[in-house]
Amino acid sequence: MTTVDFAAMTGLELMRWVQSERPADIPSIGRLLGMRFDEVEHGRVVVSLDTRPDFANPLGTVHGGIAATLLDSAMGCAVHTTLPAGAGYTTLELKVNYIRAARTDGQTLTAEGAVIHAGRRTATAEGKVLDEQGKLIAHATTTCIVLGTAS
C-alpha cells in the first residue's frame, strides 16, 4: 500500500507524483477508466485514455459522461496544481459542450485543462477533449471551491 503524506505536498507536487508513480493501489476514477497523466505543470494538466466498448452509450458511441469525466479531471487537477500544501478543492459547477461523437474502438481521447483564475476561495478553468485526429469532441468550463486555506 502507498504511504505518502499527501497533505504535506503542494498540489503541483501531488499531481507530478501521480504522473510519475501511477499508483495502482489507490482507488480512483482515473484508475477505473485507465486515465494517464501526460503533462502536469502549474495551472495546466493533460490527461488521456483509450476508449473501449464498455464506454458505449445506447447508440454505440462513447457516452458523454466519459468526456465529462475527462474534462472534470483535467480541469480540476489543473486547479489543484495551483494550491498550497494542505489545500484541496471540489467542483462547484461544470458546463460541458459536446461537439461530436467518439468511437469505442480503442482510440485515444486527450483532455487538456487550464486554469483561468486561481483565487483564495474559488478557481475557474477551461478544457477541451480531442480525438486522435485533433478533432474537438467536447469543451467545458468549471468553477471550483478551494478548501482548507486560511481566510
Side-chain angles (χ1 to χ4, degrees), residues 60-142:
T61 58
V62 172
H63 189 280
I66 299 296
T69 300
L70 270 171
L71 287 160
D72 189 40
S73 296
M75 294 184 299
C77 288
V79 165
H80 200 161
T81 66
T82 69
L83 300 180
Y89 73 94
T90 192
T91 302
L92 282 175
E93 178 267 340
L94 176 68
K95 166 64 171 93
V96 180
N97 292 286
Y98 298 99
I99 305 303
R100 66 176 40 86
R103 300 183 326 269
T104 62
D105 62 356
Q107 75 170 317
T108 299
L109 298 181
T110 302
E112 177 181 353
V115 172
I116 298 169
H117 167 77
R120 286 184 312 124
R121 290 284 175 220
T122 60
T124 58
E126 61 189 359
K128 59 186 174 183
V129 175
L130 304 175
D131 68 11
E132 292 174 339
Q133 290 74 43
K135 291 185 178 178
L136 186 64
I137 300 297
H139 60 96
T141 56
T142 192

Side-chain angles (χ1 to χ4, degrees), residues 19-99:
Q19 179 187 30
S20 66
E21 297 300 317
R22 298 181 183 239
D25 59 336
I26 300 174
S28 69
I29 191 68
R31 184 180 82 172
L32 179 67
L33 297 181
M35 283 188 212
R36 299 174 296 273
F37 282 80
D38 301 327
E39 298 177 41
V40 174
E41 57 190 67
H42 187 268
R44 182 176 168 275
V45 170
V46 177
V47 297
S48 62
L49 59 69
D50 298 326
T51 64
R52 57 184 192 246
D54 287 340
F55 295 171
N57 61 25
L59 299 175
T61 58
V62 172
H63 189 280
I66 299 296
T69 300
L70 270 171
L71 287 160
D72 189 40
S73 296
M75 294 184 299
C77 288
V79 165
H80 200 161
T81 66
T82 69
L83 300 180
Y89 73 94
T90 192
T91 302
L92 282 175
E93 178 267 340
L94 176 68
K95 166 64 171 93
V96 180
N97 292 286
Y98 298 99
I99 305 303

